[in-house]
Amino acid sequence: MPDTIVNKVAESGLITLDLENYLPVTAVVPFDLKPFLFRELILKEKDFREVMKNLDWNQYAGKAVAVFCSADAVIPVWAYMLVASNL
């Protein structure tokens, strides 16, 4: 049995990543879907699409946007994709 201690982790070739290097450098702006819901509970597709089409998206240019819904409502996945495509 050898008397030397071998650091197998250091010899394995693993790369250490510093996650602070991947923090966003732009401002993170929240985008809440709650104001665009009917009675802040129900998503009406026709009304939602119309509001998204007429919304001024220039205010989000060059920023990281966090899309979420603060209401306890069931939001279809396509609604998030519609917001993302407009952004």
Coordinates of all heavy atoms in Angstrom, one line a residue:
M1 N 0.8 -1.2 0.0 CA 0.0 0.0 0.0 C 0.9 1.2 0.0 O 1.7 1.4 0.9 CB -0.9 0.0 1.2 CG -1.9 1.1 1.3 SD -3.2 0.5 2.4 CE -4.0 2.0 2.5
P2 N 0.7 2.2 -1.0 CA 1.6 3.3 -1.1 C 1.3 4.3 0.0 O 0.2 4.5 0.5 CB 1.3 3.9 -2.5 CG 0.0 3.4 -2.8 CD -0.2 2.1 -2.1
D3 N 2.3 5.1 0.4 CA 2.2 6.1 1.5 C 1.8 7.4 1.0 O 1.5 8.3 1.8 CB 3.5 6.2 2.3 CG 3.8 4.9 3.0 OD1 2.9 4.2 3.4 OD2 5.0 4.7 3.3
T4 N 1.8 7.6 -0.3 CA 1.5 9.0 -0.9 C 0.0 9.0 -1.2 O -0.7 8.0 -1.6 CB 2.2 9.2 -2.2 OG1 1.9 8.2 -3.1 CG2 3.7 9.3 -1.9
I5 N -0.6 10.2 -1.0 CA -2.0 10.4 -1.2 C -2.1 11.0 -2.7 O -1.4 12.0 -3.0 CB -2.6 11.4 -0.2 CG1 -2.5 10.8 1.2 CG2 -4.1 11.7 -0.6 CD1 -3.0 11.7 2.3
V6 N -2.9 10.4 -3.5 CA -3.1 10.9 -4.9 C -4.4 11.6 -5.0 O -5.5 11.1 -4.6 CB -3.0 9.7 -5.8 CG1 -3.2 10.2 -7.2 CG2 -1.7 8.9 -5.7
N7 N -4.4 12.8 -5.5 CA -5.6 13.6 -5.7 C -6.2 13.2 -7.1 O -5.8 13.8 -8.1 CB -5.3 15.1 -5.6 CG -6.5 15.9 -5.7 OD1 -7.6 15.4 -6.0 ND2 -6.4 17.2 -5.4
K8 N -7.1 12.3 -7.1 CA -7.7 11.8 -8.3 C -8.6 12.8 -9.0 O -8.8 12.8 -10.2 CB -8.4 10.5 -8.1 CG -7.5 9.4 -7.7 CD -8.2 8.1 -7.6 CE -7.3 7.0 -7.2 NZ -8.0 5.7 -7.1
V9 N -9.2 13.7 -8.2 CA -10.0 14.8 -8.8 C -9.2 15.7 -9.6 O -9.6 16.1 -10.7 CB -10.8 15.5 -7.7 CG1 -11.6 16.7 -8.2 CG2 -11.7 14.6 -6.9
A10 N -8.0 16.2 -9.1 CA -7.2 17.1 -9.8 C -6.6 16.4 -11.1 O -6.4 17.1 -12.1 CB -6.0 17.5 -8.9
E11 N -6.4 15.2 -11.1 CA -5.9 14.5 -12.2 C -7.0 14.1 -13.3 O -6.6 13.7 -14.3 CB -5.2 13.2 -11.8 CG -3.9 13.5 -11.0 CD -3.3 12.2 -10.5 OE1 -3.9 11.1 -10.7 OE2 -2.2 12.3 -9.9
S12 N -8.2 14.3 -12.9 CA -9.3 13.8 -13.8 C -9.6 14.7 -15.0 O -10.2 14.4 -15.9 CB -10.6 13.6 -13.0 OG -11.1 14.9 -12.6
G13 N -9.0 15.9 -14.9 CA -9.3 16.9 -16.0 C -10.6 17.7 -15.9 O -11.0 18.2 -16.9
L14 N -11.2 17.7 -14.8 CA -12.4 18.4 -14.6 C -12.1 19.9 -14.7 O -11.1 20.4 -14.2 CB -13.1 18.1 -13.2 CG -13.6 16.7 -13.1 CD1 -14.1 16.5 -11.6 CD2 -14.8 16.5 -14.0
I15 N -13.1 20.7 -15.2 CA -12.9 22.1 -15.4 C -13.8 22.8 -14.3 O -15.0 22.4 -14.2 CB -13.3 22.6 -16.8 CG1 -12.4 21.9 -17.8 CG2 -13.3 24.1 -16.9 CD1 -12.9 22.1 -19.2
T16 N -13.3 23.7 -13.6 CA -14.0 24.5 -12.6 C -14.6 25.7 -13.3 O -13.9 26.5 -13.9 CB -13.2 24.9 -11.4 OG1 -12.6 23.7 -10.9 CG2 -14.0 25.6 -10.3
L17 N -15.9 25.9 -13.1 CA -16.6 27.1 -13.7 C -16.9 28.1 -12.6 O -17.5 27.7 -11.5 CB -17.9 26.7 -14.4 CG -17.7 25.8 -15.6 CD1 -19.1 25.4 -16.2 CD2 -16.9 26.5 -16.7
D18 N -16.6 29.3 -12.8 CA -17.0 30.4 -11.9 C -18.4 30.9 -12.4 O -18.4 31.6 -13.4 CB -16.0 31.5 -11.8 CG -16.3 32.5 -10.7 OD1 -17.2 32.3 -9.9 OD2 -15.6 33.5 -10.7
L19 N -19.5 30.7 -11.7 CA -20.8 31.0 -12.1 C -21.0 32.6 -12.1 O -21.9 33.1 -12.8 CB -21.9 30.4 -11.3 CG -21.9 28.8 -11.4 CD1 -23.0 28.3 -10.5 CD2 -22.1 28.4 -12.8
E20 N -20.2 33.3 -11.4 CA -20.3 34.7 -11.4 C -20.0 35.3 -12.7 O -20.4 36.4 -13.1 CB -19.4 35.4 -10.3 CG -19.9 35.1 -8.9 CD -19.0 35.8 -7.8 OE1 -18.0 36.4 -8.2 OE2 -19.3 35.6 -6.7
N21 N -19.2 34.6 -13.5 CA -18.9 35.1 -14.9 C -20.1 35.0 -15.8 O -20.1 35.7 -16.9 CB -17.8 34.2 -15.5 CG -16.5 34.4 -14.8 OD1 -16.2 35.4 -14.1 ND2 -15.6 33.4 -14.8
Y22 N -21.1 34.3 -15.4 CA -22.3 34.2 -16.3 C -23.5 35.0 -15.8 O -24.6 34.8 -16.3 CB -22.7 32.7 -16.4 CG -21.6 31.9 -17.0 CD1 -20.7 31.2 -16.3 CD2 -21.5 31.8 -18.4 CE1 -19.7 30.4 -16.9 CE2 -20.5 31.1 -19.0 CZ -19.6 30.4 -18.3 OH -18.6 29.7 -18.9
L23 N -23.3 35.8 -14.8 CA -24.4 36.7 -14.3 C -24.7 37.7 -15.4 O -23.8 38.2 -16.1 CB -24.0 37.5 -13.1 CG -24.0 36.7 -11.8 CD1 -23.4 37.5 -10.7 CD2 -25.4 36.2 -11.4
P24 N -26.0 38.0 -15.6 CA -26.3 39.0 -16.7 C -25.8 40.4 -16.3 O -25.9 40.8 -15.2 CB -27.9 39.0 -16.7 CG -28.3 38.4 -15.4 CD -27.2 37.5 -15.0
V25 N -25.3 41.1 -17.3 CA -24.7 42.4 -17.1 C -25.7 43.5 -17.4 O -25.6 44.6 -17.1 CB -23.4 42.6 -17.9 CG1 -22.3 41.7 -17.4 CG2 -23.7 42.4 -19.4
T26 N -26.8 43.1 -18.1 CA -27.9 44.0 -18.4 C -28.9 44.0 -17.3 O -29.0 43.1 -16.5 CB -28.6 43.6 -19.7 OG1 -29.1 42.3 -19.6 CG2 -27.6 43.7 -20.9
A27 N -29.8 45.0 -17.3 CA -30.8 45.1 -16.3 C -31.9 44.1 -16.5 O -32.3 43.8 -17.6 CB -31.5 46.5 -16.3
V28 N -32.3 43.5 -15.4 CA -33.4 42.5 -15.5 C -34.7 43.2 -15.2 O -34.9 43.7 -14.1 CB -33.2 41.3 -14.6 CG1 -34.3 40.3 -14.6 CG2 -31.9 40.6 -14.9
V29 N -35.6 43.1 -16.2 CA -36.9 43.8 -16.1 C -38.0 42.8 -15.9 O -38.1 41.9 -16.7 CB -37.2 44.7 -17.3 CG1 -38.5 45.4 -17.2 CG2 -36.0 45.7 -17.5
P30 N -38.9 43.0 -14.9 CA -40.0 42.0 -14.8 C -41.1 42.3 -15.8 O -41.4 43.4 -16.1 CB -40.5 42.2 -13.4 CG -40.1 43.6 -13.1 CD -38.9 43.9 -13.8
F31 N -41.8 41.3 -16.3 CA -42.9 41.4 -17.2 C -44.0 40.4 -16.6 O -44.0 39.2 -16.8 CB -42.6 41.0 -18.6 CG -43.7 41.2 -19.6 CD1 -43.9 42.4 -20.2 CD2 -44.6 40.2 -19.9 CE1 -44.9 42.6 -21.1 CE2 -45.7 40.4 -20.7 CZ -45.8 41.6 -21.4
D32 N -45.0 41.0 -15.9 CA -46.0 40.3 -15.3 C -47.2 40.2 -16.2 O -47.7 41.2 -16.8 CB -46.4 41.0 -14.0 CG -47.4 40.1 -13.1 OD1 -47.6 39.0 -13.5 OD2 -47.8 40.6 -12.1
L33 N -47.7 39.0 -16.4 CA -48.9 38.7 -17.2 C -50.2 39.1 -16.5 O -51.3 39.1 -17.2 CB -48.9 37.3 -17.7 CG -47.8 36.8 -18.6 CD1 -47.9 35.3 -18.8 CD2 -47.8 37.6 -19.9
K34 N -50.2 39.3 -15.2 CA -51.4 39.5 -14.5 C -52.3 40.6 -15.0 O -53.5 40.5 -15.1 CB -51.1 39.7 -13.0 CG -52.3 39.9 -12.1 CD -51.8 40.1 -10.7 CE -53.0 40.3 -9.7 NZ -52.5 40.5 -8.4
P35 N -51.7 41.8 -15.3 CA -52.6 42.9 -15.8 C -53.3 42.6 -17.2 O -54.2 43.3 -17.5 CB -51.6 44.1 -16.0 CG -50.4 43.7 -15.3 CD -50.3 42.2 -15.2
F36 N -52.8 41.6 -17.9 CA -53.3 41.3 -19.2 C -54.4 40.3 -19.2 O -54.9 39.8 -20.2 CB -52.2 40.9 -20.2 CG -51.1 41.9 -20.2 CD1 -49.9 41.7 -19.7 CD2 -51.3 43.2 -20.8 CE1 -48.9 42.6 -19.7 CE2 -50.3 44.1 -20.9 CZ -49.1 43.8 -20.3
L37 N -54.7 39.8 -18.0 CA -55.8 38.7 -17.8 C -57.1 39.4 -17.6 O -57.2 40.4 -16.9 CB -55.4 37.8 -16.7 CG -54.0 37.1 -16.7 CD1 -53.8 36.3 -15.5 CD2 -54.0 36.3 -18.0
F38 N -58.2 38.7 -18.0 CA -59.5 39.1 -17.7 C -59.8 38.9 -16.2 O -59.7 37.7 -15.8 CB -60.5 38.3 -18.6 CG -61.9 38.6 -18.4 CD1 -62.5 39.9 -18.7 CD2 -62.8 37.7 -17.8 CE1 -63.8 40.1 -18.5 CE2 -64.1 37.9 -17.6 CZ -64.6 39.2 -17.9
R39 N -60.2 39.9 -15.5 CA -60.4 39.9 -14.1 C -59.2 39.3 -13.3 O -59.3 38.6 -12.3 CB -61.7 39.1 -13.7 CG -62.9 39.8 -14.2 CD -64.1 39.1 -13.7 NE -65.3 39.7 -14.2 CZ -66.5 39.3 -14.1 NH1 -66.7 38.2 -13.4 NH2 -67.6 39.9 -14.6
E40 N -58.0 39.4 -13.9 CA -56.7 38.9 -13.4 C -56.8 37.4 -13.1 O -56.0 36.9 -12.2 CB -56.4 39.7 -12.1 CG -56.1 41.2 -12.4 CD -55.6 42.0 -11.2 OE1 -55.7 41.5 -10.1 OE2 -55.2 43.1 -11.4
L41 N -57.6 36.7 -13.8 CA -57.7 35.2 -13.6 C -57.7 34.4 -14.8 O -57.2 33.3 -14.9 CB -59.0 34.9 -12.8 CG -59.1 35.3 -11.3 CD1 -60.4 35.0 -10.8 CD2 -58.0 34.6 -10.5
I42 N -58.3 35.0 -15.9 CA -58.5 34.2 -17.1 C -57.8 34.9 -18.3 O -57.9 36.1 -18.5 CB -60.1 34.1 -17.4 CG1 -60.8 33.5 -16.2 CG2 -60.3 33.3 -18.7 CD1 -62.3 33.6 -16.3
L43 N -57.2 34.1 -19.1 CA -56.6 34.6 -20.3 C -57.5 34.4 -21.5 O -57.9 33.2 -21.8 CB -55.3 33.9 -20.6 CG -54.4 34.5 -21.7 CD1 -53.0 34.4 -21.3 CD2 -54.7 33.8 -23.0
K44 N -58.0 35.5 -22.0 CA -58.8 35.4 -23.2 C -57.9 35.6 -24.4 O -57.2 36.7 -24.6 CB -59.9 36.5 -23.2 CG -61.0 36.3 -22.2 CD -62.1 37.3 -22.4 CE -63.3 37.1 -21.6 NZ -64.3 38.1 -21.8
E45 N -57.8 34.6 -25.3 CA -56.8 34.6 -26.4 C -56.9 35.8 -27.3 O -55.9 36.5 -27.6 CB -56.9 33.3 -27.2 CG -55.9 33.2 -28.3 CD -55.9 31.9 -29.0 OE1 -56.7 31.1 -28.7 OE2 -55.1 31.8 -30.0
K46 N -58.1 36.1 -27.7 CA -58.3 37.2 -28.7 C -57.8 38.6 -28.1 O -57.1 39.3 -28.7 CB -59.7 37.3 -29.2 CG -60.0 38.3 -30.2 CD -61.4 38.3 -30.7 CE -61.7 39.4 -31.7 NZ -63.1 39.4 -32.1
D47 N -58.3 38.8 -26.9 CA -57.9 40.1 -26.2 C -56.4 40.1 -25.9 O -55.8 41.2 -26.0 CB -58.7 40.2 -24.9 CG -60.2 40.4 -25.1 OD1 -60.6 40.7 -26.3 OD2 -61.0 40.1 -24.2
F48 N -55.9 39.0 -25.4 CA -54.5 38.9 -25.1 C -53.6 39.2 -26.3 O -52.6 40.0 -26.3 CB -54.2 37.6 -24.5 CG -52.7 37.4 -24.0 CD1 -52.3 38.0 -22.8 CD2 -51.8 36.7 -24.7 CE1 -51.0 37.9 -22.4 CE2 -50.5 36.6 -24.3 CZ -50.1 37.2 -23.1
R49 N -53.9 38.6 -27.4 CA -53.2 38.7 -28.6 C -53.2 40.2 -29.1 O -52.2 40.8 -29.6 CB -53.6 37.8 -29.7 CG -53.2 36.4 -29.5 CD -53.6 35.5 -30.7 NE -53.3 34.1 -30.5 CZ -52.1 33.5 -30.7 NH1 -51.1 34.3 -31.2 NH2 -51.9 32.3 -30.5
E50 N -54.4 40.8 -29.0 CA -54.5 42.2 -29.4 C -53.7 43.2 -28.5 O -53.0 44.1 -29.1 CB -56.0 42.6 -29.3 CG -56.3 44.0 -29.9 CD -56.1 44.1 -31.4 OE1 -56.3 43.1 -32.1 OE2 -55.8 45.2 -31.9
V51 N -53.7 42.9 -27.3 CA -52.9 43.8 -26.4 C -51.4 43.6 -26.6 O -50.6 44.5 -26.6 CB -53.2 43.4 -24.9 CG1 -52.3 44.1 -23.9 CG2 -54.7 43.9 -24.5
M52 N -51.0 42.3 -26.8 CA -49.6 42.1 -27.1 C -49.1 42.7 -28.4 O -48.0 43.2 -28.6 CB -49.3 40.6 -27.2 CG -49.5 39.8 -25.8 SD -48.3 40.4 -24.6 CE -49.3 41.1 -23.4
K53 N -50.1 42.8 -29.4 CA -49.7 43.4 -30.7 C -49.6 44.9 -30.6 O -48.7 45.5 -31.2 CB -50.8 43.0 -31.7 CG -50.5 43.5 -33.1 CD -51.5 43.0 -34.1 CE -52.9 43.5 -33.9 NZ -53.8 43.1 -34.9
N54 N -50.3 45.5 -29.7 CA -50.3 47.0 -29.5 C -49.4 47.5 -28.4 O -49.3 48.7 -28.3 CB -51.7 47.5 -29.3 CG -52.7 47.2 -30.5 OD1 -52.2 47.2 -31.6 ND2 -53.9 46.9 -30.2
L55 N -48.8 46.6 -27.7 CA -47.9 47.0 -26.6 C -46.6 47.6 -27.2 O -46.1 47.1 -28.2 CB -47.6 45.8 -25.7 CG -46.9 46.0 -24.4 CD1 -47.8 46.9 -23.5 CD2 -46.5 44.7 -23.7
D56 N -46.1 48.6 -26.5 CA -44.8 49.2 -26.9 C -43.6 48.3 -26.4 O -43.3 48.4 -25.2 CB -44.7 50.6 -26.4 CG -43.4 51.3 -26.7 OD1 -42.8 50.9 -27.8 OD2 -42.9 52.2 -26.0
W57 N -43.0 47.5 -27.3 CA -42.0 46.6 -26.9 C -40.6 47.3 -26.8 O -39.6 46.7 -26.4 CB -42.0 45.4 -27.8 CG -43.2 44.6 -27.7 CD1 -44.3 44.6 -28.5 CD2 -43.5 43.7 -26.7 NE1 -45.3 43.8 -28.1 CE2 -44.8 43.2 -27.0 CE3 -42.9 43.2 -25.6 CZ2 -45.4 42.2 -26.2 CZ3 -43.5 42.2 -24.8 CH2 -44.7 41.8 -25.1
N58 N -40.5 48.5 -27.3 CA -39.2 49.2 -27.3 C -38.7 49.5 -25.9 O -37.5 49.6 -25.7 CB -39.3 50.6 -28.0 CG -39.6 50.4 -29.5 OD1 -39.1 49.4 -30.1 ND2 -40.3 51.2 -30.1
Q59 N -39.5 49.5 -24.9 CA -39.1 49.7 -23.5 C -38.3 48.5 -23.0 O -37.6 48.7 -22.0 CB -40.3 50.0 -22.6 CG -41.3 48.9 -22.5 CD -42.5 49.2 -21.7 OE1 -42.4 50.1 -20.9 NE2 -43.6 48.5 -22.0
Y60 N -38.4 47.4 -23.6 CA -37.6 46.2 -23.2 C -36.4 45.9 -24.0 O -35.7 44.9 -23.8 CB -38.5 45.0 -23.2 CG -39.8 45.1 -22.4 CD1 -41.0 45.4 -22.9 CD2 -39.7 45.0 -21.0 CE1 -42.1 45.5 -22.1 CE2 -40.8 45.2 -20.2 CZ -42.0 45.4 -20.8 OH -43.1 45.5 -20.0
A61 N -36.1 46.8 -25.0 CA -34.9 46.6 -25.9 C -33.6 46.6 -25.1 O -33.4 47.5 -24.3 CB -34.9 47.7 -27.0
G62 N -32.8 45.7 -25.3 CA -31.5 45.6 -24.7 C -31.5 45.2 -23.3 O -30.5 45.4 -22.6
K63 N -32.6 44.7 -22.8 CA -32.7 44.3 -21.4 C -33.0 42.8 -21.3 O -33.7 42.2 -22.2 CB -33.8 45.1 -20.7 CG -33.5 46.6 -20.6 CD -34.6 47.4 -20.0 CE -34.3 48.9 -20.1 NZ -35.4 49.7 -19.7
A64 N -32.7 42.2 -20.2 CA -33.1 40.8 -19.9 C -34.5 40.9 -19.2 O -34.7 41.7 -18.3 CB -32.1 40.2 -19.0
V65 N -35.4 40.2 -19.7 CA -36.8 40.3 -19.3 C -37.2 39.0 -18.6 O -37.0 37.9 -19.1 CB -37.8 40.6 -20.4 CG1 -39.2 40.7 -19.9 CG2 -37.4 41.8 -21.1
A66 N -37.8 39.1 -17.4 CA -38.3 37.9 -16.6 C -39.8 37.9 -16.8 O -40.5 38.7 -16.3 CB -37.9 38.1 -15.1
V67 N -40.3 36.9 -17.5 CA -41.7 36.8 -17.8 C -42.3 35.9 -16.8 O -41.8 34.7 -16.6 CB -42.0 36.3 -19.2 CG1 -43.4 36.2 -19.5 CG2 -41.3 37.2 -20.3
F68 N -43.3 36.3 -16.1 CA -44.0 35.5 -15.0 C -45.4 36.0 -14.9 O -45.8 37.0 -15.5 CB -43.2 35.7 -13.7 CG -43.3 37.0 -13.1 CD1 -44.3 37.3 -12.1 CD2 -42.5 38.1 -13.5 CE1 -44.4 38.6 -11.6 CE2 -42.6 39.3 -13.0 CZ -43.5 39.6 -12.0
C69 N -46.2 35.3 -14.1 CA -47.6 35.6 -13.7 C -47.7 35.6 -12.2 O -47.6 34.5 -11.6 CB -48.6 34.7 -14.4 SG -50.3 35.3 -14.1
S70 N -48.0 36.7 -11.6 CA -48.1 36.8 -10.2 C -49.5 36.4 -9.7 O -49.7 36.2 -8.5 CB -47.8 38.2 -9.7 OG -48.7 39.1 -10.2
A71 N -50.5 36.2 -10.6 CA -51.8 35.7 -10.2 C -51.8 34.2 -10.2 O -51.0 33.5 -10.8 CB -52.8 36.2 -11.2
D72 N -52.7 33.7 -9.4 CA -52.8 32.2 -9.3 C -53.8 31.8 -10.4 O -54.9 31.4 -10.2 CB -53.4 31.8 -7.9 CG -53.3 30.3 -7.7 OD1 -52.5 29.7 -8.4 OD2 -54.0 29.8 -6.8
A73 N -53.3 31.8 -11.7 CA -54.1 31.5 -12.8 C -53.3 30.5 -13.7 O -52.1 30.4 -13.6 CB -54.3 32.8 -13.7
V74 N -54.1 29.7 -14.5 CA -53.5 28.8 -15.4 C -53.2 29.5 -16.7 O -54.1 29.9 -17.4 CB -54.4 27.5 -15.6 CG1 -53.8 26.6 -16.6 CG2 -54.7 26.8 -14.3
I75 N -51.9 29.6 -17.0 CA -51.5 30.3 -18.2 C -51.0 29.3 -19.2 O -50.1 28.5 -18.9 CB -50.4 31.4 -17.9 CG1 -50.8 32.3 -16.8 CG2 -50.0 32.1 -19.2 CD1 -52.0 33.2 -17.1
P76 N -51.6 29.3 -20.4 CA -51.1 28.3 -21.4 C -49.7 28.7 -21.9 O -49.3 29.8 -21.9 CB -52.1 28.5 -22.6 CG -52.9 29.7 -22.3 CD -52.7 30.1 -20.9
V77 N -49.0 27.7 -22.3 CA -47.6 27.8 -22.7 C -47.4 28.8 -23.9 O -46.5 29.5 -24.0 CB -46.9 26.5 -23.0 CG1 -45.5 26.6 -23.5 CG2 -47.0 25.6 -21.8
W78 N -48.4 28.8 -24.8 CA -48.3 29.6 -26.0 C -48.3 31.1 -25.6 O -47.7 31.9 -26.3 CB -49.4 29.3 -27.0 CG -50.8 29.6 -26.5 CD1 -51.7 28.7 -26.0 CD2 -51.5 30.9 -26.4 NE1 -52.9 29.3 -25.6 CE2 -52.7 30.7 -25.9 CE3 -51.1 32.2 -26.7 CZ2 -53.7 31.7 -25.6 CZ3 -52.0 33.2 -26.5 CH2 -53.3 33.0 -26.0
A79 N -48.9 31.5 -24.4 CA -48.9 32.9 -24.0 C -47.5 33.3 -23.7 O -47.0 34.4 -24.1 CB -49.8 33.1 -22.8
Y80 N -46.7 32.5 -23.0 CA -45.3 32.8 -22.7 C -44.5 32.9 -24.0 O -43.6 33.8 -24.2 CB -44.7 31.8 -21.8 CG -45.3 31.8 -20.4 CD1 -46.2 30.9 -20.0 CD2 -44.9 32.8 -19.5 CE1 -46.7 30.9 -18.7 CE2 -45.4 32.8 -18.2 CZ -46.3 31.9 -17.8 OH -46.9 31.9 -16.6
M81 N -44.8 32.0 -25.0 CA -44.1 32.0 -26.2 C -44.4 33.2 -27.1 O -43.6 33.8 -27.7 CB -44.3 30.7 -27.0 CG -43.7 29.5 -26.4 SD -43.9 28.0 -27.4 CE -45.5 27.6 -27.2
L82 N -45.6 33.7 -27.0 CA -46.1 34.9 -27.7 C -45.3 36.1 -27.1 O -44.8 37.0 -27.9 CB -47.6 35.1 -27.6 CG -48.1 36.3 -28.3 CD1 -48.0 36.2 -29.8 CD2 -49.6 36.5 -28.0
V83 N -45.2 36.2 -25.8 CA -44.5 37.3 -25.2 C -43.0 37.2 -25.6 O -42.4 38.3 -26.0 CB -44.6 37.3 -23.7 CG1 -43.7 38.3 -23.0 CG2 -46.1 37.6 -23.3
A84 N -42.4 36.0 -25.6 CA -41.0 35.9 -25.9 C -40.8 36.2 -27.4 O -39.7 36.9 -27.7 CB -40.6 34.5 -25.6
S85 N -41.7 35.9 -28.3 CA -41.5 36.2 -29.7 C -41.6 37.7 -29.9 O -40.9 38.3 -30.8 CB -42.5 35.5 -30.6 OG -43.8 35.9 -30.3
N86 N -42.4 38.4 -29.1 CA -42.5 39.9 -29.3 C -41.3 40.6 -28.7 O -40.9 41.6 -29.1 CB -43.8 40.4 -28.6 CG -45.0 40.1 -29.4 OD1 -45.0 40.3 -30.6 ND2 -46.1 39.6 -28.8
L87 N -40.7 40.0 -27.6 CA -39.5 40.6 -27.0 C -38.4 40.5 -28.0 O -37.5 41.3 -28.1 CB -39.2 39.9 -25.7 CG -40.1 40.2 -24.6 CD1 -39.9 39.2 -23.4 CD2 -40.0 41.6 -24.1

